[in-house]
Amino acid sequence: MKKLILLLTIILAGCSATKTDQVDVFYSPHPDDEVLSLGPAIIHALSSSKDVHVVLLSKGKASKAINTVNERLEAEGHPTISVEEFGDAREEEFKTAVEALGVSASNVTILDLPDGKLNKDEISEIIVQKDKLSDKVVHHVMSDQDPHSDHSVTGQALHNLIDAEAVQNGKFYFPVQEHENFPFDNRIQLLSKHQQSRMMEALEAYEKWDPASGSYSIGKISVPDYFITAKNNMESRYHYKPTD
């Protein structure tokens, strides 16, 4: 564990950018979270000419969607894929999506922490390292109320860091499929056609089925209803203060 933390520290320290007035860092537990729940907020931050960074914490290799993908591959006469190939394909979907959102590739950090076992201490270390990007960093995480443990642990980690005054600024986002189940402090809606087009392009990165190019529509296969909701809502919802 100590070796892993040290490795992450080295990786993230090497990603330091020139200090600016404000840097916004978005933490995506798995590929597709950065679009489904955080996408509108990322687009809005970029439209405000802010320095936006995105951190992928896990490649999502524990997803059971691999079974559906392999069943379809077999049915179409294609070779099946391994867990590692599945993770690599999810990473490629993520890269395509963040590019569509407008995030610079140099501002993207991709990690491969254990899917389903994200650890609060590890997440805290990552947040602390990213806080060094600027004198003012706003950290965007999933809410500590999120029913998914890999999501809520990001909110818990930021909660603890704010309480300890190790970092100062944060927003806690609700997953798109839970928008109607939690009260929120604010929302970011995409109203212009240009912004909505960018959001749609990012979502579509998870819908492409082309085995010859290594695209397996993993996001859509995994949570199809969430993609429908995201397309209809075009918004991110968040709260400012950690919950008790």
Side-chain angles (χ1 to χ4, degrees), residues 67 83 94:
N67 298 325
V83 171
F94 167 82

Side-chain angles (χ1 to χ4, degrees), residues 149-163:
S149 61
D150 272 357
H151 294 193
S152 62
V153 73
T154 65
Q156 294 164 19
L158 183 59
H159 182 163
N160 290 352
L161 290 171
I162 291 175
D163 283 350

Side-chain angles (χ1 to χ4, degrees), residues 28-33 56-66 83 86-88 90-91 111-116 118 150 218 222:
S28 180
H30 312 99
D32 74 23
D33 293 320
L56 177 64
L57 298 170
S58 166
K59 294 184 181 181
K61 292 186 288 190
S63 171
K64 294 181 180 179
I66 189 174
V83 171
F86 178 77
D88 290 343
R90 295 203 72 182
E91 178 183 341
L111 303 175
D112 191 16
L113 299 178
D115 184 15
L118 293 187
D150 272 357
I218 298 171
S222 178

Side-chain angles (χ1 to χ4, degrees), residues 14-129:
C15 296
S16 296
T18 302
K19 290 197 172 187
T20 58
D21 290 340
Q22 179 173 316
V23 172
D24 285 72
V25 184
F26 292 81
Y27 301 85
S28 180
H30 312 99
D32 74 23
D33 293 320
E34 83 291 338
V35 175
L36 292 173
S37 301
L38 304 173
I42 291 173
I43 291 173
H44 181 265
L46 287 165
S47 69
S48 302
S49 300
K50 293 178 181 177
D51 189 8
V52 175
H53 292 245
V54 178
V55 180
L56 177 64
L57 298 170
S58 166
K59 294 184 181 181
K61 292 186 288 190
S63 171
K64 294 181 180 179
I66 189 174
N67 298 325
T68 304
V69 169
N70 278 334
E71 287 171 4
R72 182 171 176 181
L73 287 171
E74 284 187 324
E76 295 182 6
H78 301 291
T80 59
I81 57 175
S82 67
V83 171
E84 289 302 318
E85 290 171 325
F86 178 77
D88 290 343
R90 295 203 72 182
E91 178 183 341
E92 289 304 313
E93 288 182 342
F94 167 82
K95 288 179 179 178
T96 303
V98 292
E99 181 181 2
L101 291 173
V103 181
S104 171
S106 61
N107 285 1
V108 176
T109 300
I110 297 176
L111 303 175
D112 191 16
L113 299 178
D115 184 15
K117 298 179 181 179
L118 293 187
N119 180 280
K120 184 166 58 179
D121 291 337
E122 292 175 359
I123 305 303
S124 297
E125 180 68 23
I126 294 165
I127 293 173
V128 168
Q129 289 296 326

